[in-house]
């Protein structure tokens, strides 16, 4: 697949060579169970401590505030259910959760689970650019709210929310504040203390670390009800033998991300801007979705009018370009994006949508080739479209 | 650590070279998200299908009956909570769970969680060899039982339960039957259809696969309530981007385990028997715990009277032998083993206990060296013991 162009870094990323190199010894030689008292156990315990420190440093946290999970989804589940259940167990009147209508399914679905447990959930609207309004959060809050959960950056359209301001508003009303930062952590500088969030979810495989590992930042002093019970690993918060190689790899990926973050932002957002510019110049009846300014560096999201996004992905794939309509996690569900719906998009606007998400491995030459392919493919598909006369 | 002798394979095992070789391409080249529609996504989807087939074949299941999880602990949590909650949602009178008093914490703790949700849990006693009596299960059952969960083989003392008979008894009373087979799957031939279990938990890192991955066998047609919600992966049963390299590695480990199972049983149980024999010959006031016959091939568990097991582990470690007192997962909790307590052991019998668990990599020469070290170390520790006169 040498010539294949991968523009789906928001879905997953290649594991960096340095990351693999640090993981391998923990598969072949240092295979001890961290709970074991002997030296094999101690070596892996030390490795986890170093990884915890590296993850913490990336977001300005203290190592003891990092709980490793099996990924971003489990981190979101632990944050949402763990915090809501714990708060309500102490203060039964606090039985409401506020979130936005554009969260990832990893937040939306735990919210639905909480509804099944008797919690009320408020799904806040967003602007046409996908921004949560601070005034909406103020209006939605009352004393019965246990938790507010707003994502840092949206996985489809890349819009960055004003987390610091939203967290402050939440805290003023006595609610905890969680942010799903799976798409943002390691890509934009984040300091949890400055943001003031109580919990923040992260994922390894979005930043050139291995799949199957993530973490939840939990502010020191905050207690959660665990969702996976057993041997009491991760300070009783997440039981199960630690995924040592995965955790080591995630730690290394965070260290690399911290080091390169300036370079990443400059290079990837430069490439992204070039892509947006070229698409808008070369392809008529196309439109960038989301915010032009409050946007993570690696995301571009377009509507190509008169085209079906899934046909577009298949055609792009045939022509050597990997793209996505939006969330990889829900594309197989074949339902229109709840994110674009919440932004007020029409059926046609949703149908024609395409996400091109970038990484450090992409080049300007790849962008030129992609836009070349895209021009031809969009034209071809429009020829076949019932809206042909409108856009051809 | 060339000369170091690893006798803690029940806690974790080295990842086989063939397993690592199959995993690596899914980190560096095939890094797509299985939910993506493009070829990177399709390649990883295919890889998961193959792994699912390999895991299924190891236990005589069909691939669609395998749900991948982040490990044995999560599989146990999904089985216990997922089944109990689902059954009760359909039949509110079914609000009791039966388990044994010697289960792993990954079963005991979810049971406690279920107690918090209003379920009653019956913890059955065991014999002095750690066997669940069929008559006890018969007596404990009634129409209010949603689920029976009995481990296949105990993690401390290695005793194998009569799962087929117990499952039949459970089914006769209209209860579902789950077995935690984390210590057994891949080490003794298991056919879930022959056993008649409804669910069975497995772990990768106990059979030379990577950490951070496991699976739950769920009999076709059986519905569970998920515990991790999100993008709907694993047929809506376990959300979160699939740990592709981990799943691929687990699949390969199962294939290897299936192929070598005869050789494994013969070699490892031969070595284990030699160890038991030599210990009983060389070390006075020692005793094998658990069943002599109904025992997984790789487990030996002794009491050395007049010695503290943790001191023993530290001394063995200093002398190049990795051992365990019992469950790696609970050793740091510093509480006496609930397994040995349930078997009716006295405080002294519990305190002096040591688990030596074997793998294919161990040799007869290592056993000789271990028993040599053990003889000296036990003698030294008895010299320091308040019971010196009794055993020295």
């Amino acid at each position: 697949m040498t010539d294949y162009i991968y523009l789906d870094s928001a879905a997953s990323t290649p594991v960096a060579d340095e990351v693999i190199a640090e993981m391998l010894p923990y598969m072949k030689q240092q295979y001890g169970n961290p709970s074991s008292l002997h030296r094999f156990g101690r070596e892996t315990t030390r490795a986890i401590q170093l990884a915890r420190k590296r993850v913490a440093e990336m977001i300005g946290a203290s190592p003891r505030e990092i709980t490793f999970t099996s990924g971003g989804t489990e981190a979101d589940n632990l944050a949402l259910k763990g915090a809501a259940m714990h708060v309500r167990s102490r203060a039964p009147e606090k039985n409401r959760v506020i979130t936005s209508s554009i969260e990832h399914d990893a937040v939306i679905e735990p919210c639905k689970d909480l509804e099944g447990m008797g919690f009320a959930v408020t799904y806040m609207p967003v602007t046409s650019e996908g921004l949560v309004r601070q005034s909406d959060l103020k209006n939605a809050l009352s004393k019965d709210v246990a938790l507010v959960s707003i994502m840092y950056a949206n996985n489809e359209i890349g819009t960055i929310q004003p987390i610091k301001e939203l967290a402050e508003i939440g805290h003023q009303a006595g609610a905890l504040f969680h942010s799903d930062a799976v798409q943002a952590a390691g890509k934009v500088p984040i300091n949890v203390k400055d943001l003031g969030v109580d919990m923040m979810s992260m994922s390894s495989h979005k930043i050139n670390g291995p799949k199957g590992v993530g973490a939840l930042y939990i502010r020191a002093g905050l207690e959660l009800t665990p969702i996976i019970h057993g041997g009491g690993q991760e300070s009783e918060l997440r039981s199960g033998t630690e995924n040592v190689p995965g955790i080591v790899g995630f730690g290394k990926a965070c260290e690399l991300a911290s080091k390169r973050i300036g370079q990443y932002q400059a290079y990837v957002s430069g490439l992204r801007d070039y892509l947006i510019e070229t698409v808008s110049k070369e392809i008529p009846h196309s439109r960038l979705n989301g915010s032009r300014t409050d946007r993570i560096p690696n995301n571009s999201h377009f509507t190509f009018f008169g085209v079906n996004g899934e046909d577009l992905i298949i055609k792009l794939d045939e022509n050597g370009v990997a793209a996505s309509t939006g969330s990889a996690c829900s594309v197989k569900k074949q339902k229109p994006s709840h994110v674009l719906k919440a932004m007020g998009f029409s059926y046609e606007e949703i149908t024609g949508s395409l996400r091109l998400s970038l990484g450090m491995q992409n080049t300007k030459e790849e962008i030129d080739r992609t836009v070349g392919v895209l021009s031809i493919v969009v034209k071809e598909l429009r020829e076949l479209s019932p809206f042909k006369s409108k856009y051809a």
Side-chain angles (χ1 to χ4, degrees), chain A residues 139-177:
Chain A
N139 294 335
L141 279 160
S142 60
K143 294 210 165 189
D144 64 346
V145 177
L147 173 69
V148 177
S149 178
I150 308 287
M151 70 203 316
Y152 195 105
N154 183 269
N155 52 306
E156 296 188 31
I157 45 130
T159 302
I160 294 176
Q161 306 294 342
I163 295 298
K164 184 175 179 165
E165 291 75 11
L166 294 169
E168 208 179 310
I169 294 166
H171 286 152
Q172 277 164 3
L176 292 174
F177 195 95

Side-chain angles (χ1 to χ4, degrees), chain A residues 23-32 40 43-44:
Chain A
M23 290 172 70
L24 282 174
Y26 293 93
M27 300 216 254
K28 289 188 72 158
Q29 292 96 33
Q30 297 296 345
Y31 48 80
F40 283 85
E43 290 289 346
T44 48

Side-chain angles (χ1 to χ4, degrees), chain A residues 97-101 107-109 111-112 115 121-125:
Chain A
V97 171
I98 297 178
T99 188
S100 85
S101 47
V107 167
I108 299 274
E109 294 297 328
C111 282
K112 287 186 186 162
E115 290 182 276
V121 180
T122 304
Y123 302 89
M124 283 192 295

Side-chain angles (χ1 to χ4, degrees), chain A residues 113-306:
Chain A
D113 195 38
L114 286 169
E115 290 182 276
M117 297 181 210
F119 282 88
V121 180
T122 304
Y123 302 89
M124 283 192 295
V126 293
T127 69
S128 60
E129 291 192 344
L131 275 158
V132 171
R133 292 179 201 88
Q134 298 176 40
S135 56
D136 282 339
L137 180 57
K138 270 181 203 154
N139 294 335
L141 279 160
S142 60
K143 294 210 165 189
D144 64 346
V145 177
L147 173 69
V148 177
S149 178
I150 308 287
M151 70 203 316
Y152 195 105
N154 183 269
N155 52 306
E156 296 188 31
I157 45 130
T159 302
I160 294 176
Q161 306 294 342
I163 295 298
K164 184 175 179 165
E165 291 75 11
L166 294 169
E168 208 179 310
I169 294 166
H171 286 152
Q172 277 164 3
L176 292 174
F177 195 95
H178 165 253
S179 184
D180 171 354
V182 161
Q183 288 291 341
K187 293 174 186 165
V188 291
I190 290 180
N191 184 300
V192 286
K193 303 300 169 188
D194 180 50
L195 284 179
V197 295
D198 299 297
M199 294 173 286
M200 192 176 86
S201 305
M202 292 166 274
S203 170
S204 159
H205 78 102
K206 307 290 191 188
I207 53 166
N208 305 108
K211 291 179 176 65
V213 57
L216 183 64
Y217 158 76
I218 306 169
R219 176 180 50 73
L222 179 62
E223 286 178 24
L224 302 183
T225 302
I227 56 171
I228 296 181
H229 303 80
Q233 288 87 348
E234 294 296 290
S235 309
E236 305 278 333
L237 264 174
R238 203 287 176 181
S239 289
T241 300
E242 298 89 340
N243 177 359
V244 180
I247 288 170
V248 165
F250 184 24
K252 185 66 182 176
C254 287
E255 190 197 50
L256 294 176
S258 300
K259 275 184 193 160
R260 76 175 186 192
I261 201 153
Q263 189 198 354
Y264 178 91
Q265 282 188 289
Y267 180 75
V268 176
S269 69
L271 219 52
R272 189 261 328 262
D273 292 344
Y274 177 68
L275 169 64
I276 292 171
E277 222 173 88
T278 323
V279 164
S280 70
K281 204 157 48 183
E282 305 284 332
I283 306 177
H285 307 294
S286 67
R287 187 187 73 197
L288 178 73
N289 300 317
S291 167
R292 189 68 194 80
T293 48
D294 299 325
R295 188 172 205 118
I296 43 169
N298 71 330
N299 176 287
S300 73
H301 187 280
F302 304 94
T303 293
F304 297 99
F305 290 89

